[in-house]
Amino acid sequence: MQFDALNQEIREFCDERDWEQFHTPKDLAIGLSTESNELLEQFRFKDTEEQAALLEDAGSRQAIEAELADVLFFTLRFADLYDVDLEQALADKLDTNRERYPKDEYASSNKKYDE
Amino acid sequence: MQFDALNQEIREFCDERDWEQFHTPKDLAIGLSTESNELLEQFRFKDTEEQAALLEDAGSRQAIEAELADVLFFTLRFADLYDVDLEQALADKLDTNRERYPKDEYASSNKKYDE
Amino acid sequence: MQFDALNQEIREFCDERDWEQFHTPKDLAIGLSTESNELLEQFRFKDTEEQAALLEDAGSRQAIEAELADVLFFTLRFADLYDVDLEQALADKLDTNRERYPKDEYASSNKKYDE
Amino acid sequence: MQFDALNQEIREFCDERDWEQFHTPKDLAIGLSTESNELLEQFRFKDTEEQAALLEDAGSRQAIEAELADVLFFTLRFADLYDVDLEQALADKLDTNRERYPKDEYASSNKKYDE
């Protein structure tokens, strides 16, 4: 329901500008990568305390939230245009990860399953 | 509601493994960047027809959907841990973009607003 | 020789600002990812002709070259601080790729070796 | 000289497979982003000591060096195909950064010039 409402708003925004022509899978994936990196860039060279301070300051928090929104925009747009059921995909991925990372074995562990 | 339900499932998955300790803003942003790039990697060097074929083949579609789910996982996790109202953030960003990209001026245009 | 001279210049630039303290492997890898994405962002939504036009225009070419220089900066800095012999690493990687991609089998092919 | 020799080897490797057709500016930039993220992925969730341990272990060091070599491969390939003088571009960028980051003002500082 929530995804549906947001998808609808994104679709109107894009259709009003006739932007679907630019939204190939490759270019939407580029959108995800570039916006993720604008978020990441905010934390570059920052230690844990500095990261927390960025989230407390109103100005930098707003910038961080705007980058995260851009990531969500491209995620929803990709799913909407290329028929991905995001809720199902996430449920499936969590199932996979429950198998890859049994809770006892990976408690407090930051190892990758294939490490 | 939908975000809330997914957040809850992600929170349980992470809490069962005591993983919150690794989920700094910086590392979650790294999660977004690395997973976005695993998605992007699928389309590297591929032309438009080949991208469409990847989405039609069951095996590659599954891989693509799994990567997109990983991106959503980290987006929701970031928002949940650091108190971002994703729905509001996206609405705000769309407002900003409606101003940056007036529909008449940017119809069928792939220019950036500051280009 | 060329790498050595550039490394030396980069080292002086960083030492004058006492920046080595920020240059962990993780943060230099973040540097590579964020700068690569500033380069990539220039080509987002652009078709082949538009990409060529960006390289012909003096202003956008300068921006592109500056992003590529940032990528090289972080590559050399990582190698210098963490003792990577880049020339050897590249030679080794080309050897690996010659095996993974036998020239007859992969002529004009954009498949990945593990696809 | 060193760049020239490496460029020559990369060019032969690509020409033997007729791969220039895939090497648009956009796809080479995708190459840089995806390979940077394979490097970055190695350090995800890892603290400073764990990062150092990864560089000491022969197996993980080899993987790290191979990813850095992939980044260098795409950097050199981009510069070679699209006529970027990397040495000049890096010198220009260092000049820009010396102005943006005056050494007294930015000593031991991890602020961005536009922060």
Side-chain angles (χ1 to χ4, degrees):
Chain A
M1 187 70 89
Q2 206 175 24
F3 284 158
D4 288 351
L6 294 173
N7 282 342
Q8 184 54 36
E9 214 185 339
I10 290 170
R11 209 181 300 152
E12 275 171 30
F13 175 81
C14 293
D15 286 352
E16 283 174 351
R17 286 156 189 81
D18 199 16
W19 279 359
E20 185 172 337
Q21 61 188 306
F22 306 123
H23 289 177
T24 63
K26 188 193 279 194
D27 278 292
L28 293 179
I30 290 175
L32 282 169
S33 176
T34 51
E35 299 300 339
S36 294
N37 275 277
E38 291 184 21
L39 179 68
L40 181 53
E41 206 276 338
Q42 318 258 353
F43 303 114
R44 191 167 85 175
F45 305 137
K46 307 294 188 191
D47 66 25
T48 314
E49 278 179 42
E50 291 166 324
Q51 294 168 49
L54 287 169
L55 285 158
E56 269 162 43
D57 173 78
S60 52
R61 169 172 276 275
Q62 196 177 19
I64 287 165
E65 295 195 350
E67 301 304 350
L68 200 64
D70 283 332
V71 173
L72 183 62
F73 174 95
F74 282 115
T75 304
L76 294 173
R77 182 67 173 162
F78 192 110
D80 188 42
L81 280 184
Y82 300 108
D83 296 316
V84 179
D85 180 338
L86 276 178
E87 213 169 347
Q88 187 60 52
L90 186 56
D92 290 348
K93 194 54 193 267
L94 284 170
D95 283 342
T96 304
N97 282 342
R98 282 188 198 98
E99 276 180 49
R100 283 181 179 167
Y101 299 97
K103 23 182 186 173
D104 298 331
E105 198 181 338
Y106 284 89
S108 292
S109 163
N110 60 4
K111 283 218 185 334
K112 270 208 88 172
Y113 68 95
D114 57 1
E115 218 171 275
Chain B
M1 188 69 89
Q2 206 175 25
F3 285 157
D4 287 350
L6 294 173
N7 282 342
Q8 184 54 36
E9 213 184 340
I10 290 171
R11 209 181 301 152
E12 274 171 31
F13 174 80
C14 293
D15 286 351
E16 283 174 351
R17 285 154 188 82
D18 199 17
W19 279 0
E20 185 171 337
Q21 60 188 308
F22 306 122
H23 289 179
T24 63
K26 187 191 280 193
D27 279 293
L28 293 178
I30 290 175
L32 282 169
S33 176
T34 50
E35 299 300 336
S36 294
N37 275 277
E38 291 184 21
L39 179 68
L40 181 54
E41 207 276 338
Q42 317 258 349
F43 303 114
R44 192 167 85 174
F45 305 136
K46 308 294 187 190
D47 66 25
T48 314
E49 278 179 42
E50 292 166 322
Q51 293 169 50
L54 286 170
L55 284 159
E56 270 162 42
D57 173 79
S60 52
R61 169 172 276 275
Q62 195 177 21
I64 287 164
E65 295 196 349
E67 301 304 350
L68 200 63
D70 283 332
V71 173
L72 183 62
F73 174 94
F74 282 114
T75 305
L76 294 173
R77 181 67 173 162
F78 193 110
D80 188 43
L81 280 185
Y82 300 108
D83 296 316
V84 180
D85 180 337
L86 277 177
E87 211 168 349
Q88 188 59 52
L90 186 56
D92 291 347
K93 194 54 192 270
L94 285 170
D95 282 342
T96 303
N97 282 342
R98 282 188 197 97
E99 277 181 47
R100 283 181 178 166
Y101 299 97
K103 29 183 180 171
D104 298 331
E105 198 182 336
Y106 284 89
S108 291
S109 163
N110 60 4
K111 281 215 184 337
K112 269 209 88 173
Y113 69 96
D114 57 0
E115 220 172 273
Chain C
M1 189 65 91
Q2 206 174 22
F3 285 157
D4 287 350
L6 294 173
N7 282 342
Q8 184 54 35
E9 214 185 337
I10 290 171
R11 209 180 300 154
E12 274 172 30
F13 175 79
C14 294
D15 286 350
E16 283 173 351
R17 286 156 187 81
D18 199 16
W19 279 358
E20 184 171 338
Q21 60 187 307
F22 306 121
H23 289 178
T24 62
K26 186 192 282 194
D27 279 293
L28 293 178
I30 290 175
L32 282 168
S33 176
T34 51
E35 298 302 336
S36 293
N37 275 276
E38 291 185 19
L39 179 68
L40 181 54
E41 207 276 339
Q42 318 259 348
F43 303 113
R44 191 166 88 173
F45 304 137
K46 308 294 187 190
D47 67 23
T48 314
E49 277 179 42
E50 291 166 322
Q51 294 168 49
L54 286 170
L55 285 159
E56 269 162 43
D57 173 79
S60 52
R61 168 172 276 277
Q62 195 176 21
I64 288 164
E65 296 195 349
E67 300 305 351
L68 200 65
D70 283 330
V71 174
L72 183 61
F73 174 94
F74 282 115
T75 304
L76 294 174
R77 183 65 173 163
F78 192 111
D80 188 41
L81 280 184
Y82 300 107
D83 297 316
V84 179
D85 180 337
L86 277 178
E87 211 169 347
Q88 188 59 51
L90 186 56
D92 291 348
K93 194 56 193 266
L94 285 170
D95 283 342
T96 302
N97 282 342
R98 280 187 198 98
E99 277 180 49
R100 284 181 177 168
Y101 299 97
K103 25 183 183 173
D104 297 331
E105 196 182 340
Y106 284 89
S108 292
S109 162
N110 60 4
K111 281 215 185 341
K112 271 208 86 172
Y113 69 96
D114 56 0
E115 221 172 277
Chain D
M1 189 65 93
Q2 207 174 21
F3 285 157
D4 288 351
L6 294 174
N7 282 342
Q8 184 54 36
E9 214 185 338
I10 290 171
R11 209 181 300 153
E12 274 171 31
F13 174 80
C14 293
D15 286 352
E16 283 173 351
R17 287 155 187 81
D18 199 15
W19 278 358
E20 185 171 338
Q21 61 188 308
F22 306 121
H23 289 178
T24 63
K26 188 192 281 194
D27 279 293
L28 293 179
I30 290 175
L32 281 168
S33 176
T34 51
E35 298 301 338
S36 293
N37 274 277
E38 291 184 20
L39 179 69
L40 181 54
E41 207 277 336
Q42 318 258 350
F43 302 114
R44 193 167 85 173
F45 304 136
K46 308 294 188 191
D47 67 24
T48 314
E49 277 179 42
E50 291 166 323
Q51 294 169 49
L54 286 169
L55 285 159
E56 268 162 44
D57 173 79
S60 51
R61 169 171 276 276
Q62 194 177 20
I64 288 164
E65 296 195 349
E67 300 305 349
L68 200 65
D70 283 331
V71 173
L72 183 61
F73 174 94
F74 282 114
T75 305
L76 294 173
R77 182 67 172 161
F78 192 111
D80 188 41
L81 279 184
Y82 299 107
D83 297 316
V84 179
D85 180 336
L86 276 178
E87 211 169 349
Q88 187 59 51
L90 186 57
D92 290 349
K93 194 54 191 271
L94 284 170
D95 282 343
T96 302
N97 282 343
R98 280 187 200 97
E99 276 180 49
R100 284 180 177 171
Y101 299 97
K103 28 182 180 172
D104 298 330
E105 198 182 336
Y106 284 89
S108 292
S109 163
N110 60 3
K111 282 214 184 339
K112 270 207 87 173
Y113 68 96
D114 56 1
E115 220 171 277

